[in-house]
Amino acid sequence: MDVRITIETTFDNGEKRTHQLDGISRPYRVTCPDGIGLRLEDGKRVVEQIQRAILCDQVEEIIRESRVCPDCASVRAIHDYRTRDLDTLFGRVRVKAARLRRCSCDARSAAMPGGPISPLAYFFPDRATPELQRLHAELGSRHSFREAARLMKSFLPCHPPHHTTVRDRLGRVAAGLEKSRRASGDPAEALPKGGLTVFLDGAHIRCRPEYQ
Ligand SMILES: [Zn+2]
């Protein structure tokens, strides 16, 4: 049998669009136990394609809606387009991100001309979804950074993370948590009963005969 996968987007303005994804083929005569149902590699490929279709449509809608000035409702001109690679749990998606000119009603642009506005910067401050960053931080705190990167590559269609990316994201998430704790005025938490658990990352040290 052959399975066809189609997804349909309905934008907030009522416009509809369909995306045809790669299908799945399971010829009966050559089906083996390993070909029953959706396999991991099929799932990763399908989810990656769904993510690409959704994200590209969403970016298009964000740019279109962002062009309307929130103060005077006039349409802001497009300054230029930049290519951006956005990292998500379900793959790296390359998008054409428009930058907008400031509206003439913007007091800042009269007094102090500002640069173009990038609507996507708000949604992707680190060019990665917060969900992906949180998973990097969580797996990086439970496993070695290399093992965390390997686990993500095994089960998700995300762009294979480098172990230093896992380490850096864990550091940023930890710093963000500490910053929000200080901002809220909470005192530092007392050490839990039984002491503090410290995780040490593993490393491979090349064996050199002269350094026994
Ligand atoms: Zn305006």
Side-chain angles (χ1 to χ4, degrees), residues 69 71-72 74 103 105:
C69 173
D71 298 319
C72 70
S74 58
C103 183
C105 80

Side-chain angles (χ1 to χ4, degrees), residues 172-194:
R172 277 201 288 277
V173 168
L177 288 173
E178 180 63 17
K179 193 175 166 188
S180 63
R181 184 191 65 76
R182 285 172 196 272
S184 67
D186 283 351
E189 286 183 22
L191 286 179
K193 278 185 182 173

Side-chain angles (χ1 to χ4, degrees), residues 96-181:
K96 247 176 83 178
R99 295 193 303 166
L100 310 177
R101 294 209 175 124
R102 292 184 184 276
C103 183
S104 55
C105 80
D106 188 344
R108 276 186 57 199
S109 50
M112 182 179 61
I117 302 163
S118 178
L120 283 192
Y122 169 74
F123 295 98
F124 291 92
D126 192 27
R127 297 193 188 176
T129 55
E131 192 180 28
L132 178 71
Q133 296 179 49
R134 284 196 296 269
L135 194 64
H136 275 150
E138 180 168 353
L139 291 179
S141 65
R142 293 176 187 274
H143 305 277
S144 70
F145 301 137
R146 280 183 173 81
E147 178 64 5
R150 193 193 66 78
L151 282 171
M152 294 194 69
K153 188 182 163 200
S154 299
F155 297 108
L156 293 167
C158 60
H159 186 75
H162 195 262
H163 64 275
T164 54
T165 307
V166 176
R167 179 197 65 196
D168 294 347
R169 291 226 164 105
L170 171 61
R172 277 201 288 277
V173 168
L177 288 173
E178 180 63 17
K179 193 175 166 188
S180 63
R181 184 191 65 76

